[in-house]
Amino acid sequence: MYARCITAEEVAERLQLAERTFRNKRRHLEEHHNFPPKMPGCNGWSEPAVTRWIETNGNGYLPAPDPVYGTTVDRRLIEDAAGNLAKEFGRTAA
């Protein structure tokens, strides 16, 4: 699955800035506020990364927290995955 790439205009709109203001402040945001850099090979930014950065007040470009194992949700996901393997291959993973 590929992340959607958004333009400087779209980023500026989400930040409620003029595009020119965003372009002038972009390097400062990247260097001092963890704003995600442009995606390699793309003239834009990852939409999920920008959204997360905004929603977390500038901490969105940090790695996701480590998962907590042993919860009911985790067991259900593992059981679902095992069931899917059984359906696909005729047996569960050993």
Side-chain angles (χ1 to χ4, degrees):
M1 185 165 129
Y2 297 98
R4 180 170 178 267
C5 185
I6 57 176
T7 65
E9 180 181 6
E10 292 172 293
V11 173
E13 183 179 303
R14 289 166 191 236
L15 295 174
Q16 299 178 347
L17 298 171
E19 181 180 352
R20 184 177 186 150
T21 302
F22 168 67
R23 288 184 183 277
N24 289 337
K25 294 181 182 268
R26 186 193 88 175
R27 294 227 188 269
H28 179 80
L29 290 171
E30 289 174 358
E31 292 172 10
H32 301 285
H33 299 284
N34 299 317
F35 189 78
K38 280 186 174 181
M39 292 175 59
C42 177
N43 191 22
W45 292 262
S46 162
E47 180 182 36
V50 171
T51 300
R52 185 172 178 201
W53 184 86
I54 293 168
E55 289 174 350
T56 61
N57 297 310
N59 287 318
Y61 194 60
L62 301 174
D66 290 334
V68 178
Y69 295 104
T71 65
T72 304
V73 174
D74 289 333
R75 277 188 236 115
R76 194 170 342 120
L77 290 173
I78 292 168
E79 289 168 3
D80 289 348
N84 290 337
L85 287 171
K87 288 177 191 172
E88 180 92 18
F89 300 105
R91 62 186 176 92
T92 58

Coordinates of all heavy atoms in Angstrom, one line a residue:
M1 N 0.8 -1.2 0.0 CA 0.0 0.0 0.0 C 0.9 1.2 0.0 O 1.8 1.3 0.8 CB -0.9 0.0 1.2 CG -1.9 1.1 1.3 SD -3.1 0.7 2.5 CE -3.1 2.3 3.4
Y2 N 0.6 2.2 -0.9 CA 1.4 3.4 -1.0 C 0.7 4.5 -0.3 O -0.5 4.7 -0.3 CB 1.6 3.7 -2.5 CG 2.3 2.7 -3.2 CD1 1.7 1.7 -3.9 CD2 3.7 2.7 -3.1 CE1 2.4 0.7 -4.6 CE2 4.4 1.7 -3.8 CZ 3.8 0.7 -4.5 OH 4.5 -0.2 -5.1
A3 N 1.5 5.4 0.3 CA 1.0 6.6 1.0 C 0.6 7.6 -0.1 O 1.3 7.7 -1.1 CB 2.0 7.2 1.9
R4 N -0.5 8.3 0.1 CA -0.9 9.4 -0.8 C 0.1 10.5 -0.7 O 0.4 10.9 0.4 CB -2.3 9.8 -0.6 CG -2.7 10.9 -1.5 CD -4.2 11.2 -1.4 NE -4.6 12.2 -2.3 CZ -4.6 13.5 -1.9 NH1 -4.4 13.9 -0.7 NH2 -5.0 14.4 -2.8
C5 N 0.5 11.1 -1.8 CA 1.4 12.2 -1.8 C 0.6 13.5 -2.0 O -0.2 13.6 -2.9 CB 2.4 12.0 -3.0 SG 3.7 13.3 -3.1
I6 N 0.8 14.5 -1.1 CA 0.1 15.7 -1.2 C 1.1 16.9 -1.5 O 2.2 16.8 -1.2 CB -0.7 16.0 0.1 CG1 0.1 16.1 1.3 CG2 -1.9 15.0 0.2 CD1 -0.6 16.5 2.6
T7 N 0.5 17.9 -2.2 CA 1.3 19.0 -2.6 C 1.5 20.0 -1.5 O 0.9 20.0 -0.5 CB 0.6 19.7 -3.8 OG1 -0.6 20.3 -3.3 CG2 0.3 18.7 -5.0
A8 N 2.4 21.0 -1.8 CA 2.7 22.1 -0.9 C 1.4 22.9 -0.6 O 1.1 23.3 0.5 CB 3.8 23.0 -1.4
E9 N 0.6 23.0 -1.7 CA -0.7 23.7 -1.6 C -1.6 23.0 -0.6 O -2.2 23.7 0.3 CB -1.3 23.9 -2.9 CG -2.7 24.6 -2.9 CD -3.3 24.7 -4.3 OE1 -2.8 24.1 -5.2 OE2 -4.4 25.4 -4.4
E10 N -1.7 21.7 -0.7 CA -2.5 20.9 0.2 C -2.0 20.9 1.6 O -2.8 21.0 2.6 CB -2.7 19.5 -0.3 CG -3.4 19.3 -1.6 CD -3.3 17.9 -2.1 OE1 -2.2 17.5 -2.5 OE2 -4.4 17.3 -2.2
V11 N -0.7 20.9 1.8 CA -0.1 20.9 3.1 C -0.4 22.3 3.8 O -0.9 22.4 4.9 CB 1.4 20.7 3.1 CG1 2.0 21.0 4.5 CG2 1.7 19.3 2.7
A12 N -0.2 23.4 3.0 CA -0.5 24.7 3.5 C -1.9 24.9 3.9 O -2.2 25.5 5.0 CB -0.1 25.7 2.4
E13 N -2.8 24.3 3.1 CA -4.3 24.4 3.5 C -4.5 23.7 4.8 O -5.3 24.2 5.6 CB -5.1 23.8 2.3 CG -6.6 23.8 2.5 CD -7.3 23.2 1.4 OE1 -7.1 23.6 0.2 OE2 -8.1 22.3 1.6
R14 N -3.9 22.6 5.0 CA -4.1 21.8 6.3 C -3.6 22.6 7.5 O -4.0 22.4 8.6 CB -3.5 20.4 6.2 CG -4.3 19.5 5.2 CD -3.6 18.3 4.9 NE -4.3 17.6 3.8 CZ -4.7 16.4 3.8 NH1 -4.5 15.7 4.9 NH2 -5.3 15.9 2.8
L15 N -2.5 23.3 7.2 CA -1.8 24.1 8.3 C -2.5 25.5 8.4 O -2.1 26.2 9.3 CB -0.3 24.2 8.0 CG 0.5 23.0 8.0 CD1 1.9 23.2 7.6 CD2 0.4 22.3 9.4
Q16 N -3.4 25.8 7.6 CA -4.1 27.0 7.5 C -3.1 28.2 7.3 O -3.2 29.2 8.0 CB -4.9 27.2 8.8 CG -6.0 26.2 9.0 CD -6.8 26.3 10.3 OE1 -6.5 27.1 11.2 NE2 -7.9 25.6 10.3
L17 N -2.3 28.0 6.3 CA -1.3 28.9 5.9 C -1.4 29.2 4.4 O -1.9 28.4 3.7 CB 0.1 28.4 6.2 CG 0.6 28.1 7.6 CD1 1.9 27.4 7.6 CD2 0.6 29.4 8.4
A18 N -0.9 30.3 4.0 CA -0.8 30.6 2.6 C 0.3 29.6 2.1 O 1.3 29.3 2.8 CB -0.4 32.0 2.3
E19 N 0.2 29.2 0.8 CA 1.3 28.3 0.3 C 2.7 28.9 0.4 O 3.6 28.2 0.8 CB 0.9 27.9 -1.1 CG 1.9 26.9 -1.7 CD 1.6 26.5 -3.1 OE1 0.5 26.9 -3.7 OE2 2.5 25.9 -3.8
R20 N 2.8 30.2 0.1 CA 4.1 30.9 0.1 C 4.6 30.9 1.5 O 5.8 30.7 1.7 CB 3.9 32.3 -0.4 CG 5.2 33.0 -0.5 CD 5.0 34.4 -1.1 NE 6.3 35.0 -1.3 CZ 6.6 35.8 -2.3 NH1 5.6 36.2 -3.1 NH2 7.8 36.3 -2.4
T21 N 3.8 31.1 2.5 CA 4.2 31.1 3.9 C 4.7 29.7 4.3 O 5.8 29.6 4.9 CB 3.1 31.5 4.9 OG1 2.6 32.8 4.5 CG2 3.5 31.5 6.3
F22 N 4.0 28.6 3.9 CA 4.5 27.3 4.2 C 5.8 27.0 3.5 O 6.7 26.5 4.2 CB 3.4 26.2 3.7 CG 4.0 24.9 3.7 CD1 4.3 24.2 4.9 CD2 4.3 24.2 2.5 CE1 4.9 23.0 4.9 CE2 4.8 22.9 2.5 CZ 5.1 22.3 3.7
R23 N 6.0 27.4 2.3 CA 7.2 27.2 1.6 C 8.4 27.9 2.3 O 9.5 27.4 2.4 CB 7.1 27.6 0.1 CG 6.3 26.7 -0.7 CD 6.3 27.1 -2.2 NE 5.4 26.2 -3.0 CZ 5.8 25.0 -3.5 NH1 7.0 24.5 -3.2 NH2 5.0 24.3 -4.2
N24 N 8.1 29.1 2.8 CA 9.1 29.9 3.5 C 9.5 29.3 4.8 O 10.6 29.4 5.3 CB 8.7 31.4 3.7 CG 8.7 32.1 2.4 OD1 9.4 31.8 1.4 ND2 7.9 33.2 2.3
K25 N 8.5 28.7 5.5 CA 8.8 28.1 6.8 C 9.1 26.6 6.9 O 9.4 26.1 7.9 CB 7.5 28.4 7.7 CG 7.3 29.9 7.9 CD 6.1 30.1 8.8 CE 5.9 31.6 9.0 NZ 6.5 32.1 10.2
R26 N 9.0 26.0 5.7 CA 9.1 24.5 5.7 C 10.4 24.0 6.3 O 10.4 23.1 7.1 CB 9.0 24.0 4.2 CG 9.0 22.5 4.1 CD 9.2 22.1 2.7 NE 10.6 22.0 2.5 CZ 11.2 21.6 1.4 NH1 10.5 21.2 0.4 NH2 12.5 21.5 1.3
R27 N 11.5 24.5 5.9 CA 12.8 24.0 6.4 C 12.9 24.2 7.9 O 13.4 23.3 8.6 CB 14.0 24.7 5.7 CG 14.1 24.4 4.3 CD 15.5 24.0 3.8 NE 15.5 23.9 2.4 CZ 15.3 22.8 1.7 NH1 15.0 21.7 2.4 NH2 15.4 22.8 0.4
H28 N 12.4 25.3 8.4 CA 12.4 25.6 9.9 C 11.5 24.5 10.6 O 11.9 24.0 11.6 CB 11.9 27.0 10.2 CG 11.8 27.3 11.6 ND1 12.9 27.6 12.4 CD2 10.8 27.2 12.5 CE1 12.6 27.8 13.6 NE2 11.3 27.5 13.8
L29 N 10.3 24.2 10.0 CA 9.5 23.2 10.5 C 10.1 21.8 10.6 O 10.0 21.1 11.5 CB 8.2 23.1 9.7 CG 7.2 24.3 9.9 CD1 6.1 24.2 8.9 CD2 6.7 24.4 11.3
E30 N 10.9 21.5 9.5 CA 11.6 20.2 9.4 C 12.7 20.1 10.4 O 12.8 19.1 11.1 CB 12.1 20.0 8.0 CG 11.1 19.7 7.0 CD 11.6 19.6 5.6 OE1 12.9 19.8 5.4 OE2 10.8 19.4 4.6
E31 N 13.5 21.2 10.5 CA 14.7 21.2 11.4 C 14.3 21.3 12.9 O 15.1 20.8 13.7 CB 15.6 22.3 11.0 CG 16.2 22.1 9.6 CD 17.0 23.3 9.1 OE1 17.3 24.2 9.9 OE2 17.4 23.2 7.9
H32 N 13.3 22.1 13.2 CA 13.0 22.4 14.6 C 11.7 21.8 15.2 O 11.5 21.9 16.4 CB 13.0 23.9 14.8 CG 14.3 24.5 14.4 ND1 15.5 24.4 15.2 CD2 14.7 25.2 13.3 CE1 16.5 25.1 14.6 NE2 16.0 25.6 13.5
H33 N 10.9 21.3 14.3 CA 9.5 20.8 14.8 C 9.1 19.5 14.3 O 8.0 19.1 14.3 CB 8.5 21.9 14.4 CG 8.7 23.2 15.1 ND1 8.5 23.5 16.4 CD2 9.2 24.4 14.5 CE1 8.8 24.7 16.6 NE2 9.3 25.3 15.5
N34 N 10.1 18.7 13.8 CA 9.9 17.3 13.3 C 8.9 17.2 12.2 O 8.2 16.1 12.1 CB 9.4 16.4 14.5 CG 10.4 16.3 15.6 OD1 11.6 16.2 15.3 ND2 10.0 16.4 16.8
F35 N 8.7 18.2 11.4 CA 7.8 18.1 10.2 C 8.4 17.1 9.3 O 9.6 17.1 9.0 CB 7.6 19.5 9.6 CG 6.6 19.5 8.5 CD1 5.2 19.5 8.9 CD2 6.9 19.4 7.2 CE1 4.2 19.5 7.9 CE2 5.9 19.4 6.2 CZ 4.6 19.4 6.6
P36 N 7.6 16.2 8.7 CA 8.1 15.2 7.8 C 8.7 15.8 6.5 O 8.1 16.8 6.0 CB 6.9 14.3 7.5 CG 5.7 15.1 7.9 CD 6.1 16.1 8.9
P37 N 9.8 15.3 6.0 CA 10.4 15.8 4.8 C 9.6 15.3 3.6 O 8.7 14.4 3.7 CB 11.8 15.2 4.8 CG 11.6 14.0 5.6 CD 10.6 14.3 6.6
K38 N 9.9 15.9 2.4 CA 9.2 15.4 1.2 C 9.5 13.9 1.0 O 10.6 13.4 1.5 CB 9.7 16.1 0.0 CG 9.1 17.5 -0.2 CD 9.6 18.0 -1.5 CE 8.9 19.3 -1.9 NZ 9.4 19.9 -3.2
M39 N 8.6 13.2 0.4 CA 8.8 11.8 0.1 C 9.9 11.6 -1.0 O 9.9 12.4 -2.0 CB 7.5 11.1 -0.3 CG 6.5 11.1 0.8 SD 4.9 10.4 0.2 CE 5.3 8.8 -0.4
P40 N 10.8 10.7 -0.9 CA 11.8 10.5 -1.9 C 11.1 10.2 -3.3 O 10.2 9.4 -3.3 CB 12.6 9.3 -1.4 CG 12.2 9.1 0.0 CD 10.9 9.7 0.2
G41 N 11.6 10.8 -4.3 CA 11.1 10.5 -5.6 C 9.7 11.1 -5.9 O 9.0 10.8 -6.9
C42 N 9.2 12.0 -5.0 CA 7.9 12.5 -5.1 C 8.0 14.0 -4.8 O 8.7 14.4 -3.9 CB 7.0 11.9 -4.1 SG 5.3 12.5 -4.1
N43 N 7.3 14.8 -5.5 CA 7.3 16.3 -5.3 C 6.2 16.6 -4.3 O 5.3 17.4 -4.6 CB 7.2 17.1 -6.6 CG 7.5 18.5 -6.3 OD1 8.2 18.9 -5.4 ND2 7.0 19.4 -7.2
G44 N 6.2 16.0 -3.1 CA 5.2 16.2 -2.1 C 5.5 15.4 -0.9 O 6.5 14.8 -0.7
W45 N 4.5 15.5 0.0 CA 4.6 14.9 1.4 C 3.6 13.7 1.5 O 2.6 13.7 0.9 CB 4.3 15.9 2.4 CG 5.4 17.0 2.4 CD1 6.4 17.1 3.3 CD2 5.5 18.1 1.6 NE1 7.2 18.2 3.0 CE2 6.7 18.8 2.0 CE3 4.8 18.6 0.5 CZ2 7.1 20.0 1.3 CZ3 5.2 19.7 -0.2 CH2 6.4 20.4 0.3
S46 N 4.0 12.8 2.4 CA 3.1 11.7 2.7 C 1.9 12.3 3.5 O 2.0 12.9 4.5 CB 3.8 10.7 3.6 OG 2.9 9.9 4.3
E47 N 0.7 12.0 3.0 CA -0.5 12.5 3.6 C -0.7 12.0 5.0 O -0.9 12.7 6.0 CB -1.8 12.2 2.8 CG -3.0 12.7 3.4 CD -4.3 12.3 2.6 OE1 -4.3 11.2 2.0 OE2 -5.2 13.1 2.6
P48 N -0.5 10.6 5.2 CA -0.6 10.1 6.6 C 0.4 10.8 7.6 O 0.1 11.1 8.7 CB -0.3 8.6 6.5 CG -0.7 8.3 5.1 CD -0.3 9.6 4.3
A49 N 1.7 11.0 7.1 CA 2.7 11.6 8.0 C 2.3 13.0 8.3 O 2.5 13.4 9.5 CB 4.1 11.6 7.3
V50 N 1.9 13.8 7.4 CA 1.5 15.2 7.7 C 0.2 15.2 8.6 O 0.2 16.0 9.6 CB 1.2 16.0 6.3 CG1 0.5 17.3 6.6 CG2 2.4 16.1 5.5
T51 N -0.7 14.4 8.3 CA -1.9 14.3 9.2 C -1.5 13.9 10.6 O -2.0 14.6 11.6 CB -2.9 13.3 8.6 OG1 -3.3 13.7 7.3 CG2 -4.1 13.2 9.5
R52 N -0.7 13.0 10.8 CA -0.2 12.6 12.1 C 0.5 13.7 12.8 O 0.3 13.9 14.0 CB 0.6 11.3 12.0 CG 1.0 10.8 13.4 CD 1.7 9.4 13.3 NE 2.0 9.0 14.6 CZ 2.9 8.1 14.8 NH1 3.6 7.5 13.8 NH2 3.2 7.7 16.1
W53 N 1.4 14.4 12.1 CA 2.1 15.5 12.6 C 1.2 16.6 13.2 O 1.4 17.1 14.2 CB 3.1 16.1 11.6 CG 4.0 17.1 12.1 CD1 5.2 17.0 12.7 CD2 3.8 18.5 12.0 NE1 5.7 18.2 13.0 CE2 4.9 19.2 12.6 CE3 2.7 19.3 11.5 CZ2 5.0 20.5 12.7 CZ3 2.8 20.7 11.6 CH2 4.0 21.3 12.2
I54 N 0.2 16.9 12.4 CA -0.8 17.9 12.8 C -1.6 17.4 14.0 O -1.7 18.1 15.0 CB -1.8 18.3 11.6 CG1 -1.0 19.0 10.5 CG2 -2.9 19.1 12.1 CD1 -1.7 19.1 9.2
E55 N -2.1 16.2 13.9 CA -2.9 15.6 15.0 C -2.2 15.5 16.3 O -2.8 15.5 17.4 CB -3.5 14.3 14.6 CG -4.6 14.4 13.5 CD -5.1 13.1 13.0 OE1 -4.5 12.0 13.3 OE2 -6.1 13.1 12.3
T56 N -0.8 15.3 16.3 CA -0.1 15.2 17.5 C 0.7 16.4 17.9 O 1.7 16.3 18.6 CB 0.9 14.0 17.4 OG1 1.8 14.2 16.3 CG2 0.1 12.7 17.1
N57 N 0.3 17.5 17.3 CA 1.0 18.8 17.6 C 2.5 18.8 17.4 O 3.3 19.2 18.2 CB 0.7 19.3 19.1 CG -0.8 19.5 19.3 OD1 -1.4 20.2 18.5 ND2 -1.4 18.9 20.3
G58 N 2.9 18.2 16.3 CA 4.3 18.2 15.9 C 5.1 17.0 16.3 O 6.3 17.0 16.0
N59 N 4.5 16.0 16.9 CA 5.2 14.8 17.2 C 4.9 13.7 16.3 O 5.2 12.5 16.6 CB 4.9 14.4 18.7 CG 5.6 15.3 19.6 OD1 6.7 15.7 19.4 ND2 4.9 15.8 20.7
G60 N 4.2 13.9 15.2 CA 3.8 12.9 14.3 C 4.8 12.2 13.5 O 4.6 11.2 12.9
Y61 N 6.0 12.7 13.4 CA 7.0 12.1 12.6 C 7.9 11.2 13.4 O 8.9 10.6 13.0 CB 7.9 13.1 11.9 CG 8.7 12.6 10.8 CD1 8.1 11.9 9.7 CD2 10.1 12.6 10.8 CE1 8.8 11.3 8.7 CE2 10.8 12.1 9.7 CZ 10.2 11.4 8.7 OH 10.9 10.9 7.7
L62 N 7.5 10.9 14.7 CA 8.2 10.0 15.5 C 7.7 8.6 15.2 O 6.6 8.4 14.7 CB 8.0 10.4 17.0 CG 8.4 11.8 17.4 CD1 7.9 12.0 18.8 CD2 9.9 11.9 17.3
P63 N 8.5 7.6 15.6 CA 8.1 6.2 15.3 C 6.8 5.9 16.2 O 6.6 6.5 17.2 CB 9.2 5.3 15.8 CG 10.3 6.2 16.2 CD 9.8 7.7 16.2
A64 N 6.0 5.0 15.7 CA 4.8 4.6 16.4 C 5.3 3.9 17.7 O 6.3 3.3 17.8 CB 4.0 3.6 15.5
P65 N 4.4 4.0 18.7 CA 4.8 3.3 20.0 C 4.8 1.8 19.8 O 4.2 1.2 18.9 CB 3.7 3.7 20.9 CG 2.5 4.1 20.1 CD 3.1 4.6 18.8
D66 N 5.6 1.2 20.6 CA 5.7 -0.3 20.6 C 4.4 -0.9 20.9 O 3.7 -0.4 21.8 CB 6.7 -0.8 21.6 CG 8.2 -0.5 21.2 OD1 8.4 -0.3 20.0 OD2 9.0 -0.4 22.1
P67 N 4.0 -1.9 20.2 CA 2.7 -2.6 20.5 C 2.7 -3.3 21.9 O 3.7 -3.7 22.4 CB 2.5 -3.6 19.4 CG 3.9 -3.9 18.9 CD 4.7 -2.6 19.1
V68 N 1.5 -3.3 22.5 CA 1.4 -4.0 23.8 C 0.9 -5.4 23.5 O -0.2 -5.6 23.0 CB 0.5 -3.3 24.7 CG1 0.3 -4.0 26.0 CG2 1.0 -1.9 25.0
Y69 N 1.7 -6.4 23.8 CA 1.3 -7.8 23.4 C 0.5 -8.4 24.6 O 0.7 -8.0 25.7 CB 2.5 -8.6 23.1 CG 3.2 -8.2 21.8 CD1 4.4 -7.4 21.9 CD2 2.6 -8.4 20.6 CE1 5.0 -7.0 20.8 CE2 3.2 -7.9 19.4 CZ 4.4 -7.2 19.5 OH 5.0 -6.7 18.4
G70 N -0.3 -9.4 24.3 CA -1.0 -10.1 25.3 C -2.4 -9.6 25.6 O -3.1 -10.1 26.5
T71 N -2.8 -8.6 24.8 CA -4.1 -8.1 25.1 C -5.1 -8.9 24.3 O -4.8 -9.7 23.4 CB -4.2 -6.6 24.6 OG1 -4.0 -6.6 23.2 CG2 -3.2 -5.7 25.3
T72 N -6.4 -8.8 24.6 CA -7.5 -9.5 23.9 C -7.5 -9.2 22.4 O -7.6 -10.1 21.6 CB -8.8 -9.1 24.5 OG1 -8.8 -9.4 25.9 CG2 -10.0 -9.9 23.9
V73 N -7.2 -7.9 22.1 CA -7.2 -7.5 20.7 C -6.1 -8.2 20.0 O -6.3 -8.8 18.9 CB -7.1 -6.0 20.6 CG1 -6.9 -5.6 19.1 CG2 -8.2 -5.3 21.2
D74 N -4.9 -8.3 20.6 CA -3.8 -9.0 20.0 C -4.1 -10.5 19.7 O -3.8 -11.0 18.7 CB -2.5 -8.9 20.8 CG -1.9 -7.5 20.8 OD1 -2.2 -6.7 19.8 OD2 -1.3 -7.1 21.8
R75 N -4.7 -11.1 20.7 CA -5.0 -12.5 20.6 C -6.0 -12.7 19.5 O -5.9 -13.7 18.7 CB -5.6 -13.1 21.9 CG -4.4 -13.5 22.9 CD -5.0 -14.2 24.1 NE -4.4 -13.4 25.2 CZ -5.2 -12.7 26.1 NH1 -6.5 -12.8 26.0 NH2 -4.6 -12.0 27.0
R76 N -7.0 -11.8 19.4 CA -8.0 -11.9 18.4 C -7.4 -11.8 17.0 O -7.7 -12.5 16.0 CB -9.1 -10.9 18.6 CG -10.4 -11.2 17.8 CD -11.6 -10.3 18.1 NE -11.5 -9.7 19.4 CZ -11.6 -8.3 19.5 NH1 -11.6 -7.5 18.5 NH2 -11.5 -7.8 20.8
L77 N -6.5 -10.8 16.8 CA -5.8 -10.6 15.6 C -5.0 -11.8 15.2 O -5.0 -12.2 14.0 CB -4.9 -9.4 15.6 CG -5.6 -8.0 15.7 CD1 -4.6 -6.9 15.9 CD2 -6.4 -7.8 14.5
I78 N -4.3 -12.4 16.2 CA -3.5 -13.6 15.9 C -4.4 -14.8 15.5 O -4.1 -15.5 14.5 CB -2.6 -14.0 17.1 CG1 -1.6 -12.9 17.3 CG2 -2.0 -15.3 17.0 CD1 -0.8 -12.9 18.6
E79 N -5.5 -15.0 16.2 CA -6.4 -16.0 15.9 C -7.0 -15.8 14.5 O -7.1 -16.8 13.7 CB -7.5 -16.1 16.9 CG -7.0 -16.6 18.3 CD -8.0 -16.4 19.4 OE1 -9.2 -16.0 19.1 OE2 -7.7 -16.8 20.5
D80 N -7.4 -14.6 14.1 CA -7.9 -14.3 12.8 C -6.8 -14.6 11.7 O -7.2 -15.2 10.7 CB -8.3 -12.8 12.7 CG -9.6 -12.5 13.5 OD1 -10.2 -13.5 13.9 OD2 -9.9 -11.3 13.6
A81 N -5.6 -14.2 12.0 CA -4.5 -14.5 11.0 C -4.3 -16.0 10.9 O -4.2 -16.5 9.8 CB -3.2 -13.8 11.5
A82 N -4.3 -16.7 12.0 CA -4.2 -18.2 11.9 C -5.3 -18.8 11.1 O -5.1 -19.7 10.3 CB -4.1 -18.8 13.3
G83 N -6.5 -18.3 11.4 CA -7.7 -18.8 10.6 C -7.6 -18.5 9.1 O -7.9 -19.4 8.3
N84 N -7.1 -17.3 8.8 CA -6.9 -17.0 7.4 C -5.9 -17.9 6.7 O -6.0 -18.3 5.6 CB -6.5 -15.5 7.2 CG -7.7 -14.6 7.6 OD1 -8.8 -15.0 7.5 ND2 -7.4 -13.4 8.0
L85 N -4.8 -18.2 7.5 CA -3.8 -19.1 6.9 C -4.4 -20.5 6.7 O -4.1 -21.1 5.7 CB -2.6 -19.2 7.9 CG -1.7 -18.0 8.0 CD1 -0.7 -18.2 9.1 CD2 -0.9 -17.8 6.6
A86 N -5.2 -20.9 7.6 CA -5.8 -22.3 7.5 C -6.7 -22.3 6.3 O -6.7 -23.3 5.5 CB -6.6 -22.6 8.7
K87 N -7.5 -21.2 6.0 CA -8.4 -21.2 4.9 C -7.5 -21.1 3.6 O -7.9 -21.8 2.6 CB -9.2 -19.9 4.9 CG -10.3 -20.0 5.9 CD -11.1 -18.7 6.0 CE -12.0 -18.7 7.2 NZ -12.7 -17.3 7.3
E88 N -6.5 -20.4 3.6 CA -5.6 -20.2 2.4 C -4.8 -21.4 2.1 O -4.7 -21.8 0.9 CB -4.7 -19.0 2.6 CG -3.8 -18.7 1.4 CD -4.3 -17.7 0.5 OE1 -5.3 -17.0 0.8 OE2 -3.8 -17.6 -0.6
F89 N -4.2 -22.0 3.1 CA -3.3 -23.1 2.8 C -3.7 -24.5 3.4 O -3.0 -25.5 3.2 CB -1.9 -22.8 3.4 CG -1.3 -21.5 2.8 CD1 -1.3 -20.3 3.6 CD2 -0.8 -21.5 1.6 CE1 -0.8 -19.2 3.0 CE2 -0.3 -20.4 1.0 CZ -0.3 -19.2 1.7
G90 N -4.9 -24.6 4.0 CA -5.4 -25.8 4.5 C -4.9 -26.2 5.8 O -5.2 -27.3 6.3
R91 N -4.1 -25.4 6.4 CA -3.6 -25.7 7.8 C -3.1 -24.4 8.4 O -2.8 -23.5 7.8 CB -2.5 -26.8 7.8 CG -1.2 -26.4 7.1 CD -0.2 -27.5 7.0 NE 0.9 -27.2 6.2 CZ 2.0 -26.6 6.7 NH1 2.1 -26.4 8.0 NH2 3.0 -26.3 5.9
T92 N -2.9 -24.4 9.7 CA -2.4 -23.3 10.4 C -0.9 -23.3 10.4 O -0.3 -24.3 10.1 CB -2.9 -23.2 11.9 OG1 -2.5 -24.4 12.6 CG2 -4.4 -23.1 12.0
A93 N -0.3 -22.2 10.8 CA 1.1 -22.1 10.8 C 1.6 -22.9 12.0 O 1.0 -22.9 13.1 CB 1.6 -20.6 11.0
A94 N 2.7 -23.6 11.9 CA 3.3 -24.5 12.9 C 4.1 -23.7 13.9 O 4.7 -22.7 13.6 CB 4.0 -25.6 12.3

